[in-house]
Amino acid sequence: MAQIRIARRVLTECIAAMAFPILLLSILVAPVSAPVVAETDRSRARWCGVETMPLKPSDHSWAQWVAPRLRSRSMWRTDLPVFVTAVLLSALSLLVAFFGFIGAAALVFSPVFWLFGIAAQVGPFTPESVGETLLAMPAGIVLGAVTITVLTGTSFLRDLLLRAFSRSRDPDLLAKLEELRTSRASLTAAFEFERQRIERDLHDGAQQELVAVVMRLGMLEATATAAAADQERIVRLARQAQAHAERALERLRDTVRNIHPRELSDLGLIAAVRELAARSPLRVELNSTGDDTQLSSPTATAVYFTVSEALTNISRHAGVGSARIDLRCATTDVHVRVHDDGVGGARIYAGSGLAGLRERMRSVGGNLEIISPPGGGTLVVASAPSQPPW
């Protein structure tokens, strides 16, 4: 195991040496390149057996992560020093690897070069006989071992400086705290949006219908009191009151279903999505595979409402009358894709329903992605582990 780690350290230093020209050019865009180089160095340290915490979330692209990272103080306190260290130590590794390995190879193969009439010169040493070329071979082996030792020491120095800069301000914890703050703010906004939606549905739907029921019942009472003989008007008012009460009940059921559908609790995710597709005004093609019995309730709920919101957006904005749902449930995770051939151009923005759903998916360890080129339809992709990571 120790030999493998040493080999990894030497290999990463050789890669850093070859990447030195790129690092040198990246100085021109240092504020942008510093987080990328620093995160790459943290990945290098983990590959070499050092415990470091990645700061870039796995579900973020580099562009999504670097942009807010530039506004973070920890970038200047940690990423920039790590970037400068990486440039300097890569220059050192380049010099050591170039002269050390080439010199070692020249000494080890000195007898071969001598056979072709070439005296392989390494520094001040130039062999003048076959005996000297043979003596140069062990010297080359020693030089190669010294080169490997220096490169390994350079790698350890990288780790030491990386941990020193990280511990100076606890940037790992700070970055995670910033991510949690952002996620909490997004969830708070999403919950507030959901409360407003429920209040609006109750106010504009069931409440208005119940007000109409009360008014019809009042008119029915007045009619019955004033003219008991007017049976036709009494029957008509009674029927109107009944119709309003039925609509109020239906809207209350819709509101409750939007809070948490009963089918999801009783029958599972696949059956609930099938029921959702049947109620949709769209022609929905549903392809479902796997077993949803291993899904936790938070995961199943997050996936269900992702599909529901996607179908709602298709019916409102896509300009098409059909959609396709591909749902795959496994013992370890669940994946769903909702696709339409509409106008496209959909995006996730702050305060939108999709933004709230993305945070909901992230809260159970999943992710939500939208691919929607203008004129090319929209693809909503969501995935999550069967059991949340908490």
Side-chain angles (χ1 to χ4, degrees), residues 162-208:
L162 176 63
R163 285 181 289 190
F165 292 133
S166 298
R167 289 174 180 171
S168 61
R169 297 282 183 172
D170 289 329
D172 293 347
L173 296 178
L174 180 61
K176 290 297 181 183
L177 180 59
E178 291 177 355
E179 181 182 348
L180 287 175
R181 285 174 176 171
T182 303
S183 178
R184 185 178 64 180
S186 299
L187 283 175
T188 301
F191 289 150
E192 181 62 26
F193 175 81
E194 188 67 12
R195 284 193 293 266
Q196 292 177 358
R197 185 192 65 79
I198 294 173
E199 187 275 335
R200 183 173 62 253
D201 288 348
L202 290 175
H203 180 273
D204 298 339
Q207 180 174 319
Q208 297 297 325

Side-chain angles (χ1 to χ4, degrees), residues 156-332:
F156 278 111
L157 180 59
R158 286 181 190 271
D159 297 340
L160 180 64
L161 294 174
L162 176 63
R163 285 181 289 190
F165 292 133
S166 298
R167 289 174 180 171
S168 61
R169 297 282 183 172
D170 289 329
D172 293 347
L173 296 178
L174 180 61
K176 290 297 181 183
L177 180 59
E178 291 177 355
E179 181 182 348
L180 287 175
R181 285 174 176 171
T182 303
S183 178
R184 185 178 64 180
S186 299
L187 283 175
T188 301
F191 289 150
E192 181 62 26
F193 175 81
E194 188 67 12
R195 284 193 293 266
Q196 292 177 358
R197 185 192 65 79
I198 294 173
E199 187 275 335
R200 183 173 62 253
D201 288 348
L202 290 175
H203 180 273
D204 298 339
Q207 180 174 319
Q208 297 297 325
E209 297 294 345
L210 291 174
V211 169
V213 171
V214 172
M215 293 177 61
R216 292 297 187 278
L217 291 176
M219 295 171 63
L220 180 62
E221 180 185 8
T223 302
T225 302
D230 193 357
Q231 297 295 326
E232 182 179 351
R233 178 173 172 78
I234 294 175
V235 171
R236 184 173 67 254
L237 291 174
R239 288 175 177 173
Q240 290 176 350
Q242 181 182 10
H244 282 293
E246 290 175 350
R247 285 197 294 269
L249 180 60
E250 183 62 28
R251 294 199 176 188
L252 281 174
R253 286 173 177 168
D254 290 339
T255 301
V256 171
R257 185 183 293 113
N258 288 332
I259 297 174
H260 190 84
R262 187 173 183 83
E263 297 90 349
L264 187 60
S265 302
D266 295 344
L267 303 176
L269 177 62
I270 295 178
V273 172
R274 186 177 295 113
E275 178 67 20
L276 182 65
R279 293 197 313 269
S280 174
L282 302 169
R283 298 187 306 277
V284 180
E285 176 187 350
L286 173 60
N287 300 313
S288 59
T289 59
D291 182 11
D292 59 3
T293 57
Q294 301 297 322
L295 297 181
S296 65
S297 178
T299 299
T301 302
V303 174
Y304 174 86
F305 281 109
T306 297
V307 176
S308 176
E309 182 72 15
L311 292 179
T312 300
N313 288 341
I314 293 173
S315 62
R316 291 179 179 175
H317 309 297
V320 294
S322 61
R324 187 177 73 250
I325 302 174
D326 297 313
L327 176 61
R328 181 177 64 83
C329 299
T331 56
T332 57

